Amino acid sequence: MSLIPWLRWNEAPSRLSSRRPAELVLETLMMELAGQMREAERQHWERGNAVRKICTGVDYSWLASTPRPTYDLSPGERLQLEDVCAKIHPSYCGPAILRFRQLLAEQEPEVQEVSQLFRSVLQEVLERMKQEEEAHKLTRQWSLRPRGPLALATFKTRARISPFTSDIRTISEDVERDTPPPLRTWSMPEFRAPKED
């Protein structure tokens, strides 16, 4: 008996390799939205059943089947969301889904609000992508800047800094010139320049 059929699980499916990453991101995000909309509708249905059970005191939920989804995205809204999803980089797909699930758990929105929440998460991700791209661009510009003696030489020619000379006269300079030097403190040695006769 050959083990080759058992080892085929290690091979990648051929249909995944032929698709572009942008298509996979789009499909994954839209499937997540559809699944979360179905889940929100199911929770809404269960809450309604719980309220009816409390009001009537009888539970007939075992008789009823789960209703088919009643809310769906309009074609225009679906196209807009697909357009935004297509802009998401594959590395941001997972964090976008996690953020979306986190907001759904915190807010427990109605079915109609799920797509708006999804759109806001996608906008957050696009903003983060833009900020990180700008930071990466600045880092790249900084790293491509000339270094070493040549960069120091160009800096010296552009700006000459002389901290001890100034053309602007200040009051403190005039006062310092007219005051005698302070008396020497005995704990400090006295340093004087030799006087020329």
Side-chain angles (χ1 to χ4, degrees):
M1 183 171 156
S2 174
L3 292 177
I4 292 176
W6 290 97
L7 298 176
R8 289 214 175 145
W9 62 270
N10 203 10
E11 296 175 8
S14 60
R15 68 178 185 87
L16 291 179
S17 62
S18 64
R19 300 176 71 183
R20 295 190 346 240
E23 292 174 357
L24 291 174
V25 168
L26 171 67
E27 185 177 320
T28 303
L29 290 173
M30 292 306 287
M31 282 177 29
E32 178 69 23
L33 173 63
Q36 293 298 342
M37 287 177 65
R38 281 193 303 271
E39 180 64 22
E41 195 153 13
R42 186 188 62 76
Q43 288 177 356
H44 177 71
W45 183 74
E46 285 180 358
R47 284 192 296 261
N49 278 346
V51 168
R52 278 192 294 276
K53 180 180 173 184
I54 290 172
C55 292
T56 61
V58 182
D59 181 20
Y60 291 113
S61 62
W62 59 274
L63 271 176
S65 62
T66 307
R68 296 182 58 82
T70 57
Y71 181 78
D72 198 17
L73 295 173
S74 67
E77 188 177 9
R78 177 176 293 280
L79 286 175
Q80 288 175 352
L81 287 173
E82 286 178 354
D83 184 45
V84 176
C85 287
K87 296 175 184 175
I88 303 292
H89 190 270
S91 63
Y92 290 89
C93 182
I97 291 173
L98 290 176
R99 176 71 177 140
F100 180 51
R101 290 177 181 175
Q102 177 188 11
L103 288 177
L104 286 173
E106 290 172 0
Q107 297 179 6
E108 296 183 6
E110 293 296 322
V111 181
Q112 300 82 4
E113 299 168 346
V114 172
S115 63
Q116 296 166 356
L117 197 61
F118 185 66
R119 184 187 306 272
S120 69
V121 167
L122 293 178
Q123 292 299 328
E124 281 179 25
V125 170
L126 287 176
E127 287 291 322
R128 190 176 326 131
M129 282 175 53
K130 184 178 175 183
Q131 290 172 355
E132 289 182 10
E133 178 62 32
E134 288 175 2
H136 184 66
K137 191 183 301 181
L138 286 174
T139 305
R140 205 173 329 124
Q141 287 176 353
W142 181 258
S143 65
L144 294 177
R145 179 173 84 61
R147 300 213 188 282
L150 180 63
L152 186 58
T154 58
F155 177 73
K156 283 182 182 177
T157 58
R158 277 188 280 154
R160 300 217 181 261
I161 301 173
S162 300
F164 300 112
T165 61
S166 173
D167 296 339
I168 302 171
R169 310 270 308 159
T170 61
I171 296 173
S172 63
E173 287 177 354
D174 293 336
V175 171
E176 287 174 359
R177 258 190 235 113
D178 294 338
T179 59
L183 296 174
R184 182 171 76 94
T185 306
W186 288 104
S187 63
M188 297 292 294
E190 187 174 346
F191 296 103
R192 290 189 185 194
K195 293 186 179 182
E196 294 179 11
D197 290 329

